[in-house]
Amino acid sequence: MNNMLKIIFTLMIVCLSAVISAEALPTDIVYLQTRWAEIKYQLPEGQQEKAFSTLVSEAEKMRINHPQEASYLIWEGIIRSTYAGAKGGLGALDQVKQAKQLFEQAIALAPDAIAGSAYTSLGSLYYQVPGWPLGFGDDKKAKTMLLKGLSYNPEGIDANYFYGDFLLNQKQYQQALQVFEKALLAPPRGGRELADEGRKKEIEAGMLAARKHL
């Protein structure tokens, strides 16, 4: 069972990024974004779990100091989700459940924060986390949340990538390819060059997988 969960969570790439430029966000949020991208796209996989664990602790402290600011809730959730992917096993379920609660709190507080990223983040969890009895996965809820995220950020690289990945997961290969193609056309994000580069590689991998079925 642990091996199955590890495989599932290794595939998770829930960590999302803002469409707005890094300069428009508080410096500590910019730090979280930058450090997340460094760990995710530059560190060897064997070093990521420990690094993300440290970053979770930092993000949690920031969120506690800013309880009414949705961006801190979102980024703690994003980091916890990615930490779950690096961690794997049953321990990862606790992290994604906490991330789910953080995204829900952010939506209740400010649904448009970081261009609706909480919706896309939550939608990503719903289609990648196992369903009952192990987890809370739900494809219908996933689609609802992902489309809501797209309504806030229709041209965004992350909103389109995750919806495309959901469609790929649903074996809707032609539709997935179209959405991936749109994701590649997303405008660059100031200060997020490393995240954009890493996301584009994931988009290209998704396009390749979709084309194999067409």
Side-chain angles (χ1 to χ4, degrees):
M1 186 67 68
N2 283 358
N3 288 338
M4 181 188 74
L5 287 172
K6 186 172 183 180
I7 291 171
I8 292 170
F9 286 114
T10 298
L11 295 174
M12 290 181 62
I13 41 178
V14 174
C15 310
L16 302 171
S17 314
V19 139
I20 55 179
S21 68
E23 292 75 19
L25 291 169
T27 55
D28 47 3
I29 291 290
V30 174
Y31 163 75
L32 293 178
Q33 290 179 333
T34 303
R35 183 58 182 151
W36 170 81
E38 291 171 349
I39 298 170
K40 176 65 179 175
Y41 295 119
Q42 292 184 331
L43 276 188
E45 288 187 5
Q47 299 177 25
Q48 290 185 11
E49 180 181 350
K50 182 177 180 180
F52 276 127
S53 177
T54 298
L55 195 61
V56 163
S57 297
E58 293 177 297
E60 182 177 24
K61 291 177 182 177
M62 292 180 193
R63 186 257 305 166
I64 290 171
N65 289 331
H66 301 85
Q68 297 302 312
E69 296 185 38
S71 59
Y72 291 89
L73 291 162
I74 291 169
W75 267 98
E76 183 184 340
I78 286 169
I79 295 164
R80 284 189 183 278
S81 298
T82 320
Y83 175 43
K87 186 179 181 66
L90 292 175
L93 280 173
D94 181 62
Q95 292 299 321
V96 293
K97 287 177 181 178
Q98 291 184 64
K100 177 177 179 287
Q101 292 177 351
L102 290 164
F103 295 141
E104 291 171 340
Q105 291 171 27
I107 289 170
L109 189 63
D112 62 342
I114 317 186
S117 289
Y119 285 108
T120 305
S121 301
L122 185 54
S124 300
L125 287 181
Y126 272 125
Y127 81 84
Q128 296 187 83
V129 170
W132 188 88
L134 292 177
F136 53 84
D138 186 315
D139 287 342
K140 290 183 179 179
K141 289 182 179 180
K143 184 175 182 179
T144 297
M145 292 296 164
L146 291 168
L147 289 175
K148 188 69 173 179
L150 275 168
S151 73
Y152 280 99
N153 188 13
E155 306 302 322
I157 189 170
D158 287 329
N160 280 286
Y161 166 70
F162 282 104
Y163 186 50
D165 193 55
F166 168 75
L167 292 171
L168 181 64
N169 184 269
Q170 296 295 302
K171 300 182 180 180
Q172 298 179 38
Y173 303 117
Q174 186 61 55
Q175 297 95 318
L177 186 59
Q178 292 172 353
V179 177
F180 283 141
E181 289 172 346
K182 185 176 181 181
L184 279 182
L185 297 175
R189 298 172 292 186
R192 305 304 314 283
E193 291 80 10
L194 179 57
D196 281 353
E197 180 183 356
R199 184 67 76 215
K200 286 180 179 179
K201 291 179 180 178
E202 292 165 346
I203 293 167
E204 290 166 354
M207 293 173 72
L208 181 61
R211 288 191 180 111
K212 288 181 178 180
H213 295 277
L214 295 176

